[in-house]
Amino acid sequence: MVKTSAPTNEDSFPEKIPGPALYAVVVVGAGESGIAVGCRLKEKLGVTDFRIFDRQGGVGGAWYINKYPGVACDMSAVLTVPKISPALLYSYSFSPNYKWTTIFPSGSEILDYLESVCQKYGIFHQTQLNTEVSDARWLEDRQIWEVSVTKLVPKTGDISEAERRTKIRRQGYSSVYLEKEVVYAKILISCAGELVEPKPWPQDIPGIEVFKGDIFHTARWPPNVHLKDKDVIVIGTGCTAAQLVPCLTKEPFLAKTVTQLMRSPPWIFPRPKTPELWQKYSPGILSAVPGLGRLLRSMLFLYAESTWLSVGMSEWSKRRREKFQRKLSKHLHDTVPARYHGMLTPRFGVGCKRIIIDHQWFKSLSQPNMELTTRPLISVQSDSITLGPDPDTADSSYSKQRGEPITRPVDTIVLANGFDTSTYLHRLQVRGIEQKSLQDVWDERGGPQAYLSTAIDGFPNFFIILGPNAVTGHSSAILASENVITYAMNFIRLVLNGDAMQVQVKKEAELRYTADVQERTKSKVWTGCTNGYITPEGWNSSICP
């Protein structure tokens, strides 16, 4: 490795990574995609000369960092398949797991599975944690990538970028960053993912600086948080909030009150219970009968793919959505108090936003110490919040309001407002041919894009896993990442075998593919509401149409 300057005490530096400065492959991110890349490099290509870098203190990506109460698998498209576990799709095809304890395994169980795969394939030996990759540039004369990495103080990679900046401001640069180094690689693969940086506190809400209580994001859940007899505010009603909120009034938290703030209602599907026979017998049967698990997995995949037919705007698709919406509306009216019926009825077609799996959320709204409100948060005081007039839920635009502002006491504020998905790669700056920045290319072309979600012209030997338009919203992210990895391996093999010095997509092909993605997006249900898929400017860099 080539050592560069470091603004810290030499004695505090950890031991250097053994091995050469030039790797065959450098992988950014040790989440489910990065783990899969490492496994396939070893198993398919016989490559061991690679390095996986991750800023966090453990492997697993989002499943490592998200430790909030209730966190679990929440695949929705396969829920109506009777007695077949959605979890069958939530493991790698090359290392299937048939021993899930429930059809919706918890976050800790999924993390245990990912760690076991790393152990099985020896990935830990090629993984360096607590290390941030900040810059990568293509060296045309050498036909390799120069990658700048910085070792972090252990666990500082587990906090958000904003929290690290605050820590540096208060305690100095060396409280976060240790030693900078440079490594080289023939192939650079980004597995940075989307669910990385939590959305910050809304900047248009004043008063947070005088608040005396605790405030934190669900993705940074404190391990020893005390909520007993406290008034808790939860901001958000997405998938995370639906899993979290029912836990807050139960042991061990026992919050005094929980007030949940909602901008607009999602579509909710009741989560089925794990059948006793499945839970008791499926692990043994699926492990003992060759091919059975793969068959059920294929059936589940095909059914999930069939739900894709509902996202179009044809009359047939609309009728199919309306039929499904009637079923969801019945669950709503059968489960929640009547005062919430209008408030929780979405004004958009099912599928426009991600469907939420309801385990106990709807039932929890019947508790006397639970309140759901669409009143907007307008200010924060030292021990309270002020909510604005209640939007008229009979008005489809929510533009009309009624009543006066109200104040609610609060001891703890929990942000369940999701992640910043407006950009890919986050802090990683990638510069390709002629040192052109990838972010600049995307800005010039309208937004993040990549040929088949993985390759960009002008950036040789560079691949993104789960990149722009990779996910589908109706199936497993693990399947999506495996598909891209399998495709990319065809070209990675050429470089590593010496059959090609570089591989890159043609500009015309990339532009043609992107134009097709944006055009097909216009005929999908996602354009019918405000969501995380489409930017305010109308650009889709998130979901595959």
Side-chain angles (χ1 to χ4, degrees):
M1 290 191 178
V2 179
K3 183 177 176 181
T4 59
S5 61
T8 52
N9 188 326
E10 281 282 350
D11 296 335
S12 68
F13 293 164
E15 185 179 352
K16 286 182 177 295
I17 310 168
L22 174 61
Y23 294 104
V25 182
V26 160
V27 181
V28 183
E32 58 92 0
S33 294
I35 293 170
V37 168
C39 293
R40 303 318 268 167
L41 284 173
K42 280 192 167 184
E43 187 177 50
K44 286 293 186 181
L45 303 187
V47 175
T48 58
D49 180 24
F50 64 90
R51 180 69 63 174
I52 303 173
F53 295 103
D54 198 297
R55 77 180 193 188
Q56 295 180 164
V59 300
W63 294 112
Y64 165 81
I65 201 64
N66 282 277
K67 297 180 174 68
Y68 62 85
V71 59
C73 170
D74 61 352
M75 285 179 57
S76 60
V78 294
L79 285 177
T80 54
V81 180
K83 297 181 174 59
I84 297 182
S85 170
L88 282 176
L89 286 184
Y90 218 86
S91 61
Y92 300 117
S93 63
F94 57 84
S95 187
N97 183 16
Y98 300 133
K99 297 182 179 180
W100 298 113
T101 60
T102 172
I103 62 176
F104 292 94
S106 67
S108 60
E109 189 174 3
I110 294 172
L111 180 59
D112 288 344
Y113 163 73
L114 293 173
E115 290 176 342
S116 72
V117 173
C118 290
Q119 189 70 43
K120 175 181 177 181
Y121 286 85
I123 301 302
F124 286 122
H125 298 298
Q126 279 89 11
T127 302
Q128 182 175 333
L129 303 172
N130 299 304
T131 304
E132 182 177 68
V133 179
S134 58
D135 183 84
R137 65 190 188 105
W138 175 251
L139 303 182
E140 185 66 26
D141 57 335
R142 299 179 60 185
Q143 299 283 285
I144 58 174
W145 285 95
E146 180 184 84
V147 184
S148 299
V149 302
T150 307
K151 295 180 182 179
L152 308 178
V153 173
K155 298 298 183 179
T156 55
D158 293 356
I159 61 178
S160 68
E161 175 62 23
E163 291 171 316
R164 287 201 297 277
R165 287 197 299 266
T166 299
K167 188 176 181 68
I168 290 172
R169 189 166 60 250
R170 293 174 178 175
Q171 302 178 29
Y173 191 84
S174 60
S175 66
V176 174
Y177 296 106
L178 297 177
E179 184 180 48
K180 280 189 174 182
E181 295 179 311
V182 172
V183 298
Y184 299 93
K186 295 178 181 178
I187 301 288
L188 176 64
I189 303 176
S190 172
C191 299
E194 274 192 290
L195 307 183
V196 177
E197 287 296 330
K199 282 186 178 178
W201 176 261
Q203 296 301 307
D204 57 338
I205 309 299
I208 192 62
E209 66 280 354
V210 302
F211 181 60
K212 295 181 180 179
D214 295 323
I215 179 169
F216 49 85
H217 196 280
T218 54
R220 302 297 184 268
W221 189 268
N224 299 311
V225 63
H226 297 288
L227 300 178
K228 186 176 181 179
D229 297 327
K230 291 186 176 182
D231 296 304
V232 179
I233 301 294
V234 177
I235 300 177
T237 51
C239 299
T240 294
Q243 294 178 337
L244 167 70
V245 166
C247 302
L248 299 182
T249 56
K250 300 177 183 178
E251 292 278 5
F253 301 106
L254 298 175
K256 179 182 178 182
T257 66
V258 176
T259 302
Q260 187 175 11
L261 309 187
M262 177 176 71
R263 285 191 304 178
S264 63
W267 283 105
I268 306 293
F269 194 104
R271 189 173 102 170
K273 295 181 180 179
T274 302
E276 291 184 9
L277 292 177
W278 177 274
Q279 190 168 1
K280 184 176 181 179
Y281 295 111
S282 66
I285 293 175
L286 293 176
S287 299
V289 180
L292 179 59
R294 186 172 294 275
L295 173 63
L296 292 180
R297 180 183 171 102
S298 298
M299 291 171 57
L300 205 56
F301 167 75
L302 291 174
Y303 177 81
E305 288 298 292
S306 75
T307 65
W308 179 251
L309 300 173
S310 299
V311 304
M313 296 303 288
S314 68
E315 288 301 316
W316 185 86
S317 295
K318 290 178 182 178
R319 287 196 298 270
R320 183 169 176 170
R321 284 199 300 273
E322 289 168 357
K323 181 180 178 180
F324 190 36
Q325 287 167 196
R326 287 193 293 270
K327 182 176 182 178
L328 301 186
S329 295
K330 185 179 186 303
H331 170 62
L332 164 65
H333 287 81
D334 290 346
T335 312
V336 304
R339 67 181 182 275
Y340 290 134
H341 288 179
M343 183 188 302
L344 282 169
T345 300
R347 274 38 172 196
F348 52 83
V350 65
C352 188
K353 293 184 180 182
R354 188 176 180 186
I355 299 173
I356 291 178
I357 309 307
D358 175 29
H359 181 38
Q360 295 289 331
W361 181 43
F362 268 9
K363 288 185 178 180
S364 72
L365 296 178
S366 297
Q367 298 175 16
N369 57 346
M370 280 284 304
E371 179 186 11
L372 176 68
T373 180
T374 53
R375 288 176 176 267
L377 177 62
I378 58 177
S379 67
V380 179
Q381 293 72 242
S382 61
D383 58 0
S384 64
I385 62 170
T386 299
L387 302 177
D390 198 14
D392 185 356
T393 55
D395 172 35
S396 61
S397 67
Y398 290 95
S399 59
K400 298 179 181 179
Q401 296 181 333
R402 57 191 178 189
E404 300 295 328
I406 61 173
T407 298
R408 288 283 187 269
V410 58
D411 300 299
T412 302
I413 299 176
V414 180
L415 297 176
N417 58 341
F419 295 83
D420 178 10
T421 58
S422 62
T423 184
Y424 284 83
L425 309 183
H426 300 279
R427 274 177 53 84
L428 175 59
Q429 298 295 318
V430 180
R431 290 172 287 169
I433 293 174
E434 298 180 354
Q435 301 305 296
K436 186 85 177 226
S437 164
L438 177 55
Q439 192 58 57
D440 288 345
V441 171
W442 282 345
D443 289 344
E444 292 170 3
R445 297 183 183 181
Q449 56 190 268
Y451 181 74
L452 295 180
S453 304
T454 189
I456 305 98
D457 61 280
F459 295 83
N461 300 359
F462 175 61
F463 301 90
I464 305 176
I465 309 301
L466 283 188
N469 307 109
V471 297
T472 61
H474 68 276
S475 192
S476 167
I478 286 184
L479 288 183
S481 63
E482 276 200 67
N483 289 337
V484 175
I485 291 167
T486 300
Y487 176 76
M489 287 293 166
N490 295 321
F491 304 98
I492 293 171
R493 178 186 287 109
L494 294 176
V495 175
L496 299 188
N497 287 348
D499 296 324
M501 288 296 292
Q502 61 168 265
V503 290
Q504 64 172 309
V505 65
K506 294 180 178 179
K507 182 177 181 179
E508 295 78 12
E510 200 278 325
L511 293 178
R512 187 167 55 250
Y513 175 82
T514 298
D516 182 58
V517 166
Q518 301 306 317
E519 184 62 31
R520 284 187 285 125
T521 296
K522 298 175 183 177
S523 61
K524 300 298 183 289
V525 68
W526 315 313
T527 58
C529 67
T530 301
N531 53 44
Y533 303 145
I534 314 296
T535 67
E537 296 75 28
W539 188 266
N540 171 20
S541 63
S542 178
I543 195 164
C544 178

